[in-house]
Amino acid sequence: MNAPDPNPAPSGLPAALGAYLMWGFLPLYLMLVVSVPAFEFVGWRIIWTVPLCLIIVGVRGQFPAIKAALSSAKAVGMLFLSATLIAINWLVYIWAIQEEHVYAASLGYYLNPLLNVLLGTLFLGERLTRWQWLAVAIAGSAVALLLAGAITTLWISLSLAMSFAFYGIVRKQVAVTALPGLTIESAILFVPASAIVMWYAASPVGSAFGQDFYLSLAIMAGGVVTAVPLLLFAIAARRMPYSTLGFIQYLAPTIVFILGLTVFEQELQPVQLGSFILIWIAIAIFVGDLIARTRRAAAPQAI
């Protein structure tokens, strides 16, 4: 019998849980800065993300990865596009939480993995199984249901799902890992973000930063809640099967949904409940197919 490995590889599960728990409870943090206009807060989030990313990149010795990406005009162009997409995603999400459209935000991130699969067939030449097509079709029915009964918030869900899905597609085209990529994206957005916060500072109301000590600390924490979960996600992605990571990702929108029911005490409309039920069915089919294919791939093959 083989002796157990005295130095087993560290598990990626704690990092994955940490990342998705932080993303799931993000609405609670956003309520600390609810008085800050969404557009201004996105600007501050970018500004405070840059120095933190640079510190972490330095500690992890990843500056060569940044240099390599910046040496390619194509990579810089793709990261400019991905930076725009993630900024749109942040803006819509922050605005949605501030306006208490929590269920719409949750639904957007439930839809995202299914949309990722569909976009993979359109842009990356990937092929869907019959069960995946069924899951996508059921998710489409959920969107159609919202179109019929909750069209005023449907744009939030679709904007979040599509911006993040296309962000993932663009990032797949750039040979740079998560944290160096975020650092470059944040640096690209730093100038427009600075212009935004200066515009608010020059307005009659003035900048939200510096008016109140605790609010200013909460704004500065935007860099932490941006960079840290992404770093944890990058660690988890290297240490565990991507299929398992894909299953854990549903933790975040589930927490957001529960927060909508409890902390935010939002009324769940029948059409919203029906849409969530369809999405949960689609996810169950999708995850079940994913688990089955993973087990078949891991099973020993007959000679």
Side-chain angles (χ1 to χ4, degrees), residues 12-23 232 236 240 245 248 251:
L13 183 60
L17 291 176
Y20 285 110
L21 283 172
M22 287 188 71
W23 281 327
L232 292 174
M240 64 193 305
L245 191 61
I248 297 174
L251 178 63

Side-chain angles (χ1 to χ4, degrees), residues 87-242:
I88 292 171
N89 183 270
W90 290 347
L91 178 61
V92 173
Y93 187 79
I94 292 167
W95 182 88
I97 298 301
Q98 287 185 343
E99 297 298 319
E100 298 190 353
H101 296 305
V102 181
Y103 296 133
S106 172
L107 186 63
Y109 287 107
Y110 272 127
L111 284 171
N112 175 249
L114 298 170
L115 185 58
N116 283 341
V117 172
L118 182 60
L119 291 180
T121 66
L122 298 176
F123 296 100
L124 303 178
E126 298 174 357
R127 304 180 72 175
L128 270 64
T129 66
R130 288 177 295 177
W131 288 110
Q132 287 176 332
W133 275 118
L134 177 61
V136 170
I138 294 174
S141 300
V143 173
L145 185 61
L146 288 176
L147 188 63
I151 193 172
T152 56
T153 58
L154 178 58
W155 72 271
I156 298 173
S157 302
L158 292 181
S159 296
L160 290 173
M162 294 181 69
S163 60
F164 204 67
F166 279 106
Y167 172 77
I169 291 289
V170 173
R171 283 299 302 271
K172 281 180 179 290
Q173 315 303 314
V174 186
V176 60
T177 53
L179 191 62
L182 177 66
T183 305
I184 297 173
E185 289 166 345
S186 300
I188 290 172
L189 295 170
F190 188 84
V191 172
S194 299
I196 289 169
V197 299
M198 285 191 291
W199 185 84
Y200 274 95
S203 68
V205 176
S207 173
F209 187 80
Q211 293 189 9
D212 177 84
F213 177 74
Y214 294 104
L215 178 60
S216 297
L217 283 180
I219 292 172
M220 292 174 65
V224 175
V225 301
T226 301
V228 171
L230 189 70
L231 174 62
L232 292 174
F233 174 82
I235 293 171
R238 289 197 306 271
R239 295 181 179 177
M240 64 193 305
Y242 203 73

Side-chain angles (χ1 to χ4, degrees), residues 39-50:
F39 207 54
E40 182 184 2
F41 181 70
V42 169
W44 283 118
R45 183 176 184 178
I46 292 165
I47 288 172
W48 290 111
T49 295
V50 172

